[in-house]
Amino acid sequence: MSRIKFLGTSGGRFVLINQLRKTGGIWLSIDNTNLLIDPGPGTLTRCHASRPKLNPRDLDAIILTHKHLDHSNDVNLMIEAMTNGGWDKKGALFAPSDALDKDPVVLHHFRDKVDKIVKLEEKGEYNIGNISFKTPVKHIHGVETYGLNISGKNNTISVISDTKYFKGLENFYKGDILILNLVMREGKDHILHLDVSDAEKIISANKPKLCIITHFGMTMVKAKPWEIAEMLSKKTGVKVVAASDGMQVNLDEYQK
Ligand SMILES: [Zn+2]
């Protein structure tokens, strides 16, 4: 079965620090290829706590959309786990260059343990196992950040990682399933994140088969994400669900 598992759904520093929501990122299994996106604090614990357990040694790649702590904290640990403590050199790490070069979050000590390290770039196209993915546009987020368009044999998934809204953003992310990092209830210009009105605009324009909102900051947690999802569903006519920690989505139900 191809599936998405939300190991964590927290976004923003206060939800992270207080662990009001977990911060384990997203585990994606498509066509027998396993990807871990944005391993924040506690990812390994979340893998072991999953039922059924997720074995990090099954991973084919780890992707960092950017180097902020809630997206990258466990990257070294997860390389260690993916490669069986470094004994089985395998897998790939994809990350923006500023996560690797300037003030890097990936320790040099771990870099030899993976088969390859690939720097993400705007308009980049990449392959791993049975899937391919693209990073269509650089986001506005303070550090180098990309969203993802992931394609399997029967599925297309867009992941809009952290960004401030910019004109035309929605045009870059046309996957059947849209995962949207919705940090704020209501936007403030200096906070480089999407808010609910941005989400409505994007979902209305793209009409995915399913939109999953996740990566909630404090104002979203307080606003009850499931109620926001229901409101967005009503306004856009699209099935919108709020991710919860441990939630799994069966991708076979959303084939192209
Ligand atoms: Zn961020």
Side-chain angles (χ1 to χ4, degrees):
M1 182 180 84
S2 290
R3 64 197 169 118
I4 305 169
K5 177 105 178 177
F6 290 85
L7 296 175
T9 58
S10 161
R13 69 194 68 169
F14 299 110
V15 179
L16 159 67
I17 293 166
N18 295 299
Q19 287 290 294
L20 300 178
R21 295 267 183 145
K22 309 292 186 198
T23 38
I26 298 170
W27 182 301
L28 212 57
S29 300
I30 307 179
D31 305 334
N32 298 313
T33 297
N34 291 304
L35 286 184
L36 178 64
I37 301 168
D38 287 348
T43 301
L44 185 60
T45 310
R46 297 291 297 153
C47 289
H48 288 290
S50 282
R51 293 292 174 267
K53 249 186 202 184
L54 292 168
N55 186 346
R57 288 176 70 182
D58 293 336
L59 285 170
D60 298 289
I62 299 169
I63 302 175
L64 304 184
T65 65
H66 63 296
K67 71 175 182 182
H68 282 155
L69 204 60
D70 48 339
H71 299 256
S72 72
N73 186 77
D74 277 10
V75 63
N76 296 296
L77 179 59
M78 291 312 294
I79 291 173
E80 183 83 343
M82 174 170 74
T83 60
N84 192 27
W87 283 98
D88 307 322
K89 188 177 165 95
K90 68 168 281 203
L93 171 71
F94 297 89
S97 68
D98 85 343
L100 297 165
D101 298 335
K102 200 183 86 188
D103 194 14
V105 293
V106 183
L107 296 172
H108 288 278
H109 169 64
F110 289 96
R111 296 188 187 193
D112 285 343
K113 299 186 181 193
V114 293
D115 276 335
K116 59 175 179 176
I117 295 180
V118 183
K119 288 181 184 172
L120 299 176
E121 293 174 345
E122 187 168 66
K123 297 193 177 82
E125 298 189 29
Y126 312 91
N127 292 296
I128 188 79
N130 298 320
I131 66 159
S132 60
F133 72 94
K134 296 180 182 176
T135 45
V137 66
K138 195 180 266 189
H139 285 188
I140 301 172
H141 192 52
V143 297
E144 191 180 355
T145 306
Y146 300 99
L148 309 168
N149 284 321
I150 300 165
S151 297
K153 202 160 35 120
N154 299 309
N155 296 106
T156 56
I157 299 160
S158 292
V159 180
I160 303 185
S161 186
D162 296 355
T163 186
K164 179 187 167 80
Y165 183 80
F166 54 91
K167 198 164 176 280
L169 167 63
E170 54 275 11
N171 299 331
F172 292 99
Y173 296 105
K174 300 281 191 183
D176 286 336
I177 294 181
L178 175 63
I179 298 173
L180 204 151
N181 283 8
L182 181 44
V183 171
M184 303 182 285
R185 178 77 188 82
E186 240 167 280
K188 295 192 184 77
D189 220 35
H190 65 284
I191 300 178
L192 303 175
H193 280 293
L194 300 175
D195 73 1
V196 174
S197 66
D198 300 323
E200 186 186 335
K201 206 161 23 184
I202 295 164
I203 298 165
S204 301
N206 287 9
K207 300 268 184 232
K209 287 181 184 163
L210 170 69
C211 174
I212 305 161
I213 54 173
T214 185
H215 207 62
F216 306 121
M218 198 60 105
T219 56
M220 276 299 295
V221 169
K222 283 186 179 153
K224 298 179 181 152
W226 56 94
E227 288 185 5
I228 301 289
E230 199 181 314
M231 182 267 285
L232 285 169
S233 285
K234 280 193 186 128
K235 282 193 166 172
T236 62
V238 169
K239 182 176 175 186
V240 182
V241 299
S244 54
D245 293 336
M247 185 178 92
Q248 186 168 293
V249 175
N250 180 354
L251 291 173
D252 298 341
E253 292 170 17
Y254 299 95
Q255 296 193 350
K256 58 189 172 195

